[in-house]
Amino acid sequence: MVDHVGKVVLPGEIVTGFKASEKTSKVILGPGLRQETETIRATKPGILRHKEPNIYWVDSHQKRYIPVKGDTVLGIVTAKAGDIFRVDVGSSDQASLPYVAFEAATKRNRPDVKVGDIVYCKFVEANKDMEGEVVCIDSSGKSGGLGVIGRDAGYLFQVPINLTRKVLSPDCELFGSLGKNMRYETAVGMNGRIWVKAKTVVETIAITNAICASEYMTNTEIKNMCKRLADSMAGF
Amino acid sequence: MAGGPDQKTVLSKNVLQMKFMQRSALRIEKELNEEENKDIDDEHWVLDLPATQKLENNYMFEPSLVRIESLQFGRMSFCGFNPEIEKLMKRHNTKVELDAAEVKEMELSVQEDEMANRYQSLFGTIAKKFSSKRDRGQIEEKFSNSEENPPKSKKHRKFIKPADDD
């Protein structure tokens, strides 16, 4: 038994040495691992990660987004078709967004969404054989931060998907340290799109650059960078 | 009569549609369905093979990295830029903190069997607290196993009738 955890795995490689949970004797496989009857193979190149007690997945550098149910993504409305909007989320196919899936929208009362709008939405249907479906409400019918964003201002840019995961992980202090001395708001989609809005264009550019630069930084490096950024913004 | 002895009397469609006939209508439909299914089953060819064993699957699949890595919600605002979003963030954070506190509490708190063990030894002490002074002697008797205190002969206090002379 070879312990692959923390090592690089390549697509097709057989992965062994899983620890099952003691209670249920099950192993949870995340993205990048596939079961073929008895053997488990990697389907993505990357580092095999393990989380206690029994979760395994492959952490890889990736730019192509594959929809997953429950992901929140940033999409761009490309068309209005009957009772749905078509939304480009950066995956192989466009997703559909029903017009009743907005807060306080009814059949009569259509939401104010135009072609070209950015929507922060959540996947409720993500299937490899079917068109994905996104909504802009939570289970209680509230918007909960979802919906059309940035119609008046803001900047949308694309980063590798692993970077969005990094900045959203609870250990990462990038947004917190940036937010100490800068007023801004942001929306991060799991499809690798980040939207930033600050008061001035200079600030927006600074934040964008900080996010892009943080891909290979540790937490202390990120903190230092944010400090230097704040100093230079203040004119020192 | 027009119908022969082996011909079933059939209720007309109009009668069956009436409200009070609904139950029989359903029953008749069910019977018809059963007959049809029987016919289909009889015609169905099945290979006479031993039943295939279902393998036990020890692997579960979780496609979402959001849940695996417990990622934060992606909508954020800082320094009061968008108060609505900050309220939302606060709510999210308190929820996360509460969950974390609960987990910590589970770790720190006394387990059930530990509690039971402890209380077993404490039982006498605590029982003493809640008993009246009069009963205290009895409880001590029960829980002291030492030889120095041999159990006293039980003397029930009884009402002594006052002697009524005269």
Side-chain angles (χ1 to χ4, degrees), chain B residues 101-128:
Chain B
E102 205 167 283
V103 169
K104 207 173 178 189
E105 201 168 301
M106 281 287 280
E107 277 170 15
L108 292 178
S109 69
V110 184
Q111 299 300 313
E112 274 171 9
D113 40 353
E114 200 182 320
M115 186 95 167
N117 277 337
R118 186 146 175 77
Y119 265 85
Q120 227 166 18
S121 62
L122 270 177
F123 186 73
T125 327
I126 291 173
K128 211 161 87 179

Side-chain angles (χ1 to χ4, degrees), chain A residues 27 29 51 179 184 186 188, chain B residues 58 60 62 68 74 76 78-79:
Chain A
V27 178
L29 301 177
K51 188 177 162 192
Y184 72 101
T186 179
V188 183
Chain B
N58 279 333
M60 289 195 303
E62 169 61 69
I68 288 175
M76 292 180 222
F78 295 94
C79 299

Side-chain angles (χ1 to χ4, degrees), chain A residues 18-30:
Chain A
F18 294 112
K19 264 193 298 175
S21 113
E22 280 166 21
K23 273 186 206 153
T24 53
S25 72
K26 294 248 173 179
V27 178
I28 297 173
L29 301 177

